[in-house]
Amino acid sequence: MIKRLMLAAVVAISGASVANAHITLEQSQGTSGKAYKAVLRVGHGCEGKATIKIRVKVPEGLLSAKPMPKSGWTVEKVNATYEMSYDLYGKPVKEGVSEIVWSGGSLADDEYDEFVFRATVAKELPLGTRIFVPVVQECTDGAVERWIEVPAAGKNSDDYETPAPYFEVVAQPRS
């Protein structure tokens, strides 16, 4: 009886972690004022359909974003004005890449891939801030998965079915 209960608990826990492990960021922390390499891990398609487009909203506070090209995919960058001005290596920055789109490729539902961009974490962001990176995954036959849910106050990503991946802003290490 105890073995059955333990097995059921393991299955329940495994199911819970899988439910939140759709598109994630490889690194859970980004250093204030330094470059952050965002590696978005795409673990599957949309309910059996192949992924054909990944759209990433570059959040406010990630500056000078640059996507990594992928063989077989086209990359598009959309610029916009930031809500506030930031200091980037001594120069004021008021606009930059706000969206990155990879399209034209195909990632089968039973395959895994990574989509990468690099950006500087604004030093104006308070330490401990969670930076959510909303992603829309478009698949064949018009299927879409929106990994865009940002937790409301008092909630966390586990409370949502399609949470946006995120990382936390941390202090620069002292040398």
Side-chain angles (χ1 to χ4, degrees), residues 64-121:
S64 190
K66 296 179 181 176
M68 179 183 284
K70 287 186 70 65
S71 179
W73 295 75
T74 299
V75 66
E76 176 187 353
K77 297 162 279 199
V78 178
N79 285 326
T81 302
Y82 297 139
E83 293 178 17
M84 60 182 277
S85 180
Y86 297 93
D87 178 82
L88 183 61
Y89 304 113
K91 295 182 179 176
V93 177
K94 297 179 181 176
E95 65 179 41
V97 174
S98 64
E99 185 176 355
I100 299 170
V101 181
W102 285 273
S103 63
S106 181
L107 175 63
D109 181 58
D110 62 350
E111 295 176 348
Y112 162 86
D113 206 347
E114 297 174 337
F115 295 80
V116 180
F117 71 94
R118 183 177 173 204
T120 299
V121 178

Side-chain angles (χ1 to χ4, degrees), residues 15-24 41-44 147 161 163:
S17 63
V18 168
N20 291 322
H22 300 286
I23 293 185
T24 58
R41 300 179 294 196
V42 179
H44 60 75
W147 309 105
E161 191 167 322

Side-chain angles (χ1 to χ4, degrees), residues 10-21:
V10 168
V11 169
I13 291 170
S14 298
S17 63
V18 168
N20 291 322

Side-chain angles (χ1 to χ4, degrees), residues 20 26 40 50 53 81 87 97 124 143 146 157 174:
N20 291 322
E26 184 178 75
L40 291 158
K53 184 183 282 187
T81 302
D87 178 82
V97 174
E124 290 86 351
R146 299 178 196 284
S157 292
R174 296 186 185 256

